Amino acid sequence: MDNRAIGVFDSGLGGLTAVKELKKLLPNENIVYLGDTGRVPYGSRSRETIVRYAKQDIDFLLKKDIKMVVAACGTVSSTLPKEFSSKLPVPYVDIVLPAAQEACAMSSRGRIGVVGTNATLKSNAFGKAMRGIRGDIHVYGNPCPLLVHLVENGMIEPENKITSLTVQMYLEPLIQEKIDTLILGCTHYPILYETFNRLLDYKVTLIDPGRCAARYVRNILMKDGMIADRQEAGTTEYNVTDETETFNKTASIFLGEQVTGSVNRVELL
């Protein structure tokens, strides 16, 4: 048993969708969350900058004496070199492999779409992972650079015309390819789950990477005997790199509940 916290990070608050799923599956685990809200989004940055930011995020979490690092960020998951993540002193989980496994299992015709940031799509990380699992698939990707901004600014209702039109624009080339499964390759995007569903006429299976990653984390902790043995509910510590005044309101959207736990503004080196 290991009662240390699980460390989770993202460029902003989208990673809280993964925290939400972790709290459901592992209610007795403590979680330390870092949202680099001062530098969100990562998806339009250079590869070198993304890697540098990710290393700073991970270093911050490791100083919290955590037992696992979860990169709840599609951009980091697609960009951080395995040569680095494999040498961390604790297990590292990102969203690419768990989501790729789920998509390959769920796709009926092997026509899988991927939406994400520019950096995520440029890396082709999801496509490479899926082709390593299933040889008969066709992968179609389209970057959606505006969606993180829309979500972070609370424009998330399915009735929001600006967001719906934006999602429709990004989905059009994927619809033309007759996809049967779609990976929401950024942890912000599940907040727009119903918008995606409506525009796809509920005919395409949507893959929530945060949910897939949470199940993957649970499996690793169980396999390695690292589940916390506390009987009470775990705690969550929230850390952000920008102002905290509006955090509770925005974070509650991602978490699906009111924020409980400390909220700290931190500096990354």
Side-chain angles (χ1 to χ4, degrees), residues 162-182:
I162 294 175
T163 302
S164 292
L165 285 170
T166 305
V167 174
Q168 177 70 49
M169 174 183 69
Y170 290 140
L171 283 178
E172 199 56 47
L174 302 179
I175 292 171
Q176 291 178 10
E177 297 293 350
K178 297 180 171 57
I179 61 169
D180 61 64
T181 304
L182 178 65

Side-chain angles (χ1 to χ4, degrees), residues 39 52-53 55-57 59-60 63 241 266-269:
R39 302 187 294 197
R52 175 162 53 87
Y53 287 177
K55 289 180 177 180
Q56 292 171 348
D57 297 336
D59 185 59
F60 173 86
K63 290 176 181 176
T241 57
V266 300
E267 297 286 340
L268 301 179
L269 301 176

Side-chain angles (χ1 to χ4, degrees), residues 26-80:
L26 300 163
N28 303 115
E29 296 287 347
N30 288 345
I31 297 172
V32 176
Y33 182 79
L34 171 63
D36 192 5
T37 50
R39 302 187 294 197
V40 66
Y42 284 6
S44 57
R45 314 275 185 173
S46 68
R47 182 181 185 278
E48 293 73 21
T49 298
I50 295 165
V51 170
R52 175 162 53 87
Y53 287 177
K55 289 180 177 180
Q56 292 171 348
D57 297 336
I58 291 170
D59 185 59
F60 173 86
L61 290 175
L62 290 176
K63 290 176 181 176
K64 294 285 186 175
D65 190 30
I66 56 172
K67 63 182 175 183
M68 173 180 281
V69 171
V70 180
C73 175
T75 299
V76 170
S77 298
S78 304
T79 307
L80 190 67

Side-chain angles (χ1 to χ4, degrees), residues 121-209:
L121 271 295
K122 186 177 180 180
S123 74
N124 193 29
F126 284 99
K128 292 174 184 175
M130 287 188 285
R131 291 187 185 98
I133 297 167
R134 182 173 165 180
D136 67 332
I137 63 165
H138 299 275
V139 180
Y140 308 94
N142 200 30
C144 307
L146 294 176
L147 295 190
V148 169
H149 296 286
L150 292 174
V151 171
E152 291 270 341
N153 283 281
M155 300 174 68
I156 61 172
E157 296 302 325
E159 294 77 20
N160 188 293
K161 292 182 178 179
I162 294 175
T163 302
S164 292
L165 285 170
T166 305
V167 174
Q168 177 70 49
M169 174 183 69
Y170 290 140
L171 283 178
E172 199 56 47
L174 302 179
I175 292 171
Q176 291 178 10
E177 297 293 350
K178 297 180 171 57
I179 61 169
D180 61 64
T181 304
L182 178 65
I183 296 177
L184 305 177
C186 171
T187 46
H188 283 73
Y189 298 177
I191 297 298
L192 303 175
Y193 197 95
E194 182 59 20
T195 301
F196 276 96
N197 246 339
R198 288 187 183 185
L199 293 171
L200 292 166
D201 294 326
Y202 300 90
K203 295 176 181 177
V204 173
T205 301
L206 301 182
I207 304 299
D208 178 341

